[in-house]
Amino acid sequence: MVQTAADPIGRKGRRGAGALIRRQLRCRGAVQGVGFRPAVFRLAQSLGLAGAVRNDAEGATIEVEGPPAAVDLFVARLRDSLPPLAQLDGLALREQPLRGESGFRVETSILGARHGARIPPDASLCADCRAEMEDPDDRRHRYAFTTCTNCGPRFSLSLGLPYDRERTSMARFPLCPTCEKEYGAPENRRFHAEATCCPACGPRLWLSAPGGGVEATGEAALDAAREALARGETVAVKGLGGFQLACRADRASALVRLRAAKRRPTKPFAVMAPDLASARQMARLSNEDCALLASARAPILLAPRRECELLCDEVAPGIDDVGVMLPTTPLHVELFRGAPFAALVMTSGNAWDEPIARCNDEASRELAGFAQSLLLHDREVVRRVDDSVLRSTPKGALLVRRSRGFVPEPVQLPLPTPEPVLALGGHLQTTACLAVGSEAFLSQHVGDLDTAPARAFLEEVASGLEEFLEVEAGVIAVDLHPDYASSWLGERLAEARGGRLLRVQHHLAHAAAVLGEHGRFPADGECCAALILDGTGWGPDGTAWGGEWLLLEGDLRWQRLAHTTPLALVGGERAVREPWRVAAAALRASGHDELLPELAAATGVERSVFDSVCALADSGDWPRATGAGRVFEAAGALLGAGPRNHWEGECAARLESLASRAGGRVSAWSEVELAEGERELPTAQLLAAACRRRSEGEEPARVAAGFHASFCALAAQLSAAVLPAGVRTLAVGGGCLVNRLLREGLRTELEALGFEVLLPSALPAGDGALSYGQCLVASASLTRGMLPAWIGGE
């Protein structure tokens, strides 16, 4: 299809030798599926320019012809004329021979191998579409699939590039005459809006029972779903990137039932509010937080919780934060219309540790045990994409989970890779990442790889990235751990392709991710340092690491400078689930047996089991780990946060919540010090000091706050002691850096000692960015010709 602008100011009459020029603009970035071509059309038309714009394999190509001043003005105004979702990353100009054309055209896309083209992430409902839905006289009044070039699904319904309707799941919905007219009108914001539709030609909605059978359709389906939610039932709702499970956030009975079905006894649920006013009743939100919630990304935001009757305690037991979000689709808006509730739990529609359900048949089969009804429609979700999660901090929000609203936006690589690299992450919070040239494309959130469906999903997103970007990687990067499912997948892919497999040490990848985010990966002749604090990662020496000071050099050498004190994991993996075991081993190792009864009382563990674990702690057969996450979980256990982690890091999260309740400033403890020349942070002594203070009657909240303050002070002192004198930049990362108190405490203490501190914010601090770090390590190795050098440290 070609749209042409008339020649409104008589350009033909002005043509003459030297009076006109023609210029080509090759555009790279998010320029497909965002209203880029319509915006270009309108700008060219306003300046009386001839020419054309089209999508192609590189992004978009514009040619404009007219007086030199008008052509220059077009180039100058282009960036400021783009619609909200467009992002112009690169612009190459080239003079072209005159063609003597009249008018400006939007041309049909040119197919071909991809050379940089991409589409933006899915975007939440825009204000213009919301206004149409509220207008009783508008033909999209209350229509659950209202969208335009500024909002709606993109990545989740795209089958390939260039991004045109025939290569999306909307291809099966032919436009009605009215929508066709809007689609072809340059002045309309639905000009080439590929997902556009209306009640006459778009997807259909219906409510189904778990066993099948249509109970209601259209608006009646919405009414019935709303009534079911009002009664306290759970409804499976088909969202942008898959299914969500919804129920009232103020009904404890509904949440108890949902927790039992999902085998999720205590892990917090996210809550959707109908508007910012309701969200502010539930959480303490800054103006920046509100802007983020209302943005096109529309993430879940973890923010300090307010006491209000909209939420019951079952939403986030024992945690002072609540995850809030706003409606992301017109369907969500309609669920709240006229409802007797102002907050819905909106959690991923999946079984324990399995991927989010994508299609109707899958949801009917997999979610029958969770929901009393399913709100379905016939627009296919091509790519399952879970919600993104951010956490508010005084210094701005930080990413916890990067998915819907962010994917497939690329992340820049400070070192372009000479050939494509596919990285597969670790075992928890997994993502894949495909590096092509100077860009790294992180996949949507996959999650933990404990189940076969989750492992299949990782393979699905890895192959999906390669298909989407039209490349096949010859280098596969995986974690150093030999028993991760992601490593097994990488081995199979490398063998099948005859490619190279690169095993990257876990904490080195974390360090690279933080340095890469800040564009500070060391060049030849440079050194950088990193402090990585997480739960567990396989070390080159075969032990479990997790509290690591690393030195990275530009010639691709790296070394471990210091670490936290290794603590025995009595019972192996069971000690990860039951962190009181780590606390007991720490008290025994530090010679503080007299404090064991205090620990036993705090945990409530059966005394015979407790005594048995204490006796076994002296055995040298247990694995020892330096994981900082294990230390904070152990501190949580000894301060009464609970004897067991029902979800990853639960006791540590409860410890942070407890510490945040301490009134006033709490200083670091003077009784725990670094030994002269020691290269270990004395975590066993730190745990013993916390237990002693609690036994002497100090308030648990102040003990928790003091534990954080003391860890941060000791970490800064150890950094100053072990880092070379000329190294003053420190990248600080790992999953523990989601903790606000730890993050800000480390920043404050390190900056006071003169360090430049680099913290993750645009990428997750945890394992969600591990694959990006693996890609960067592989890129550096390929570029500098030392592929095996990064496998182990010195």
Side-chain angles (χ1 to χ4, degrees):
M1 179 183 295
V2 176
Q3 282 82 26
T4 305
D7 186 6
I9 57 174
R11 300 177 68 261
K12 292 181 181 178
R14 296 190 315 178
R15 296 186 187 277
L20 303 174
I21 63 170
R22 187 179 183 90
R23 186 171 297 164
Q24 182 187 81
L25 294 81
R26 303 298 299 270
C27 306
R28 292 174 58 94
V31 295
Q32 295 188 15
V34 293
F36 180 83
R37 290 176 297 170
V40 168
F41 184 101
R42 289 189 288 269
L43 178 60
Q45 187 180 45
S46 71
L47 295 172
L49 295 172
V53 60
R54 63 179 178 269
N55 287 340
D56 55 31
E58 187 171 326
T61 298
I62 306 167
E63 291 195 7
V64 287
E65 183 172 318
V71 171
D72 290 342
L73 193 57
F74 176 91
V75 176
R77 289 182 179 176
L78 179 60
R79 288 185 185 274
D80 292 337
S81 300
L82 298 183
L85 300 183
Q87 181 177 326
L88 187 58
D89 294 334
L91 184 63
L93 306 181
R94 183 178 179 183
E95 302 303 313
Q96 297 287 308
L98 289 171
R99 294 187 183 179
E101 294 178 319
S102 175
F104 194 87
R105 307 180 307 283
V106 176
E107 295 183 340
T108 302
S109 299
I110 295 180
L111 300 178
R114 178 191 173 274
H115 294 290
R118 70 175 194 264
I119 62 170
D122 297 327
S124 67
L125 183 68
C126 71
D128 289 333
C129 284
R130 179 69 180 265
E132 290 173 341
M133 292 176 63
E134 301 298 329
D135 182 358
D137 296 327
D138 194 281
R139 67 194 188 94
R140 292 186 176 87
H141 177 54
R142 301 184 60 176
Y143 183 51
F145 302 96
T146 302
T147 184
C148 70
T149 54
N150 298 327
C151 67
R154 299 291 192 277
F155 179 68
S156 63
L157 58 68
S158 176
L159 296 166
L161 291 167
Y163 179 72
D164 292 307
R165 191 178 181 93
E166 60 265 29
R167 282 177 290 280
T168 74
S169 58
M170 288 300 293
R172 64 184 294 262
F173 300 99
L175 293 171
C176 68
T178 306
C179 285
E180 182 78 40
K181 184 177 180 180
E182 291 175 337
Y183 185 88
E187 70 280 0
N188 195 292
R189 76 176 195 283
R190 292 191 171 90
F191 183 47
H192 281 265
E194 310 304 350
T196 191
C197 58
C198 74
C201 62
R204 298 294 187 266
L205 191 67
W206 68 93
L207 190 73
S208 172
V214 176
E215 297 185 341
T217 62
E219 287 193 15
L222 277 165
D223 293 340
R226 198 180 302 113
E227 291 167 4
L229 290 167
R231 292 193 299 268
E233 295 180 7
T234 299
V235 177
V237 180
K238 191 174 185 181
L240 276 178
F243 279 81
Q244 298 163 307
L245 293 169
C247 68
R248 289 183 63 155
D250 60 350
R251 291 283 180 90
S253 58
L255 294 182
V256 168
R257 184 173 61 247
L258 181 58
R259 287 192 179 283
K262 283 182 70 80
R263 290 189 291 164
R264 183 172 170 160
T266 58
K267 189 174 183 180
F269 285 128
V271 177
M272 181 176 284
D275 48 45
L276 280 173
S278 299
R280 279 184 147 152
Q281 289 184 55
M282 294 185 278
R284 294 197 295 273
L285 301 173
S286 67
N287 290 337
E288 292 76 13
D289 293 337
C290 291
L292 180 60
L293 286 170
S295 71
R297 299 192 191 278
I300 297 169
L301 181 67
L302 304 175
R305 176 178 173 173
R306 293 183 187 273
E307 289 299 323
C308 74
E309 57 187 25
L310 299 180
L311 305 177
C312 66
D313 291 341
E314 279 295 323
V315 167
I319 304 297
D320 285 359
D321 270 13
V322 62
V324 293
M325 64 190 304
L326 296 181
T328 55
T329 71
L331 183 56
H332 292 126
V333 170
E334 293 305 316
L335 279 176
F336 282 105
R337 189 181 297 278
F341 46 78
L344 288 174
V345 159
M346 197 68 69
T347 190
S348 302
N350 57 353
W352 178 77
D353 272 351
E354 293 189 3
I356 185 173
R358 179 178 64 84
C359 61
N360 294 342
D361 289 344
E362 183 183 357
S364 298
R365 183 177 63 253
E366 301 293 338
L367 304 182
F370 304 100
Q372 286 72 61
S373 55
L374 296 91
L375 191 56
L376 307 174
H377 58 75
D378 53 356
R379 184 180 70 199
E380 181 187 0
V381 175
V382 176
R383 304 171 194 276
R384 61 185 102 218
V385 189
D386 220 327
D387 294 318
S388 292
V389 180
L390 287 89
R391 193 175 195 199
S392 67
T393 78
K395 301 287 186 179
L398 62 97
L399 263 168
V400 177
R401 185 169 82 188
R402 187 180 186 272
S403 204
R404 178 191 51 75
F406 291 88
V407 173
E409 283 182 356
V411 180
Q412 291 301 304
L413 284 171
L415 292 172
T417 180
E419 62 177 291
V421 176
L422 176 64
L424 297 172
H427 184 75
L428 303 176
Q429 305 168 29
T430 309
T431 61
C433 187
L434 182 59
V436 181
S438 61
E439 295 178 325
F441 293 83
L442 274 159
S443 77
Q444 61 270 47
H445 172 74
V446 174
D448 301 349
L449 302 181
D450 289 324
T451 65
R455 295 190 284 272
F457 184 33
L458 175 62
E459 190 165 1
E460 175 186 315
V461 301
S463 62
L465 279 174
E466 292 188 317
E467 290 170 7
F468 196 68
L469 299 174
E470 300 177 8
V471 299
E472 182 177 275
V475 176
I476 313 295
V478 299
D479 194 271
L480 189 61
H481 199 298
D483 293 328
Y484 280 176
S486 56
S487 299
W488 300 339
L489 173 59
E491 291 166 3
R492 293 201 312 272
L493 291 175
E495 182 177 2
R497 299 174 180 185
R500 288 169 287 178
L501 185 72
L502 176 63
R503 301 184 189 274
V504 181
Q505 199 278 324
H506 190 91
H507 302 96
L508 178 64
H510 271 305
V514 180
L515 290 166
E517 177 183 334
H518 291 272
R520 301 291 292 276
F521 197 80
D524 287 336
E526 293 182 344
C527 282
C528 287
L531 167 57
I532 306 300
L533 305 172
D534 70 353
T536 301
W538 189 262
D541 58 359
T543 65
W545 290 14
E548 311 302 323
W549 280 256
L550 306 178
L551 185 68
L552 292 73
E553 301 186 44
D555 62 3
L556 305 188
R557 290 181 297 168
W558 70 281
Q559 59 181 304
R560 186 191 201 189
L561 298 177
H563 51 79
T564 58
T565 300
L567 299 176
L569 301 180
V570 182
E573 280 296 314
R574 193 165 181 178
V576 177
R577 297 189 299 272
E578 300 175 7
W580 65 268
R581 293 168 176 264
V582 177
L587 295 180
R588 292 299 300 268
S590 59
H592 290 286
D593 287 16
E594 77 281 3
L595 296 174
L596 290 171
E598 176 69 25
L599 174 61
T603 60
V605 176
E606 184 179 337
R607 194 55 191 255
S608 61
V609 175
F610 184 87
D611 291 342
S612 175
V613 167
C614 290
L616 290 169
D618 292 334
S619 168
D621 297 335
W622 300 113
R624 295 180 178 273
T626 59
R630 303 288 85 84
V631 175
F632 280 84
E633 291 165 355
L638 68 82
L639 289 175
R644 183 179 179 86
N645 282 324
H646 295 97
W647 46 277
E648 184 195 2
E650 179 180 11
C651 287
R654 287 178 176 241
L655 177 75
E656 182 192 356
S657 290
L658 182 63
S660 68
R661 300 168 202 158
R665 184 175 181 276
V666 179
S667 300
W669 301 332
S670 59
E671 66 265 33
V672 184
E673 298 178 331
L674 292 178
E676 184 70 29
E678 187 62 63
R679 289 179 173 259
E680 288 186 2
L681 192 151
T683 48
Q685 296 292 341
L686 198 57
L687 288 166
C691 196
R692 181 174 299 284
R693 283 172 171 263
R694 181 68 191 100
S695 70
E696 293 172 351
E698 188 171 336
E699 286 293 323
R702 293 192 64 79
V703 178
F707 185 88
H708 280 80
S710 300
F711 186 96
C712 293
L714 290 168
Q717 293 165 24
L718 186 56
S719 300
V722 302
L723 294 184
V727 178
R728 307 307 293 171
T729 298
L730 188 62
V732 184
C736 293
L737 271 296
V738 172
N739 181 321
R740 286 192 196 97
L741 299 179
L742 179 63
R743 182 185 182 91
E744 294 308 314
L746 286 171
R747 186 206 304 265
T748 300
E749 294 286 352
L750 288 165
E751 288 180 348
L753 294 178
F755 286 101
E756 179 191 13
V757 181
L758 307 179
L759 290 166
S761 60
L763 292 175
D767 286 2
L770 202 66
S771 58
Y772 170 73
Q774 291 169 343
C775 275
L776 181 49
V777 168
S779 173
S781 300
L782 291 167
T783 301
R784 296 170 187 176
M786 298 179 66
L787 192 60
W790 292 83
I791 293 178
E794 297 180 354

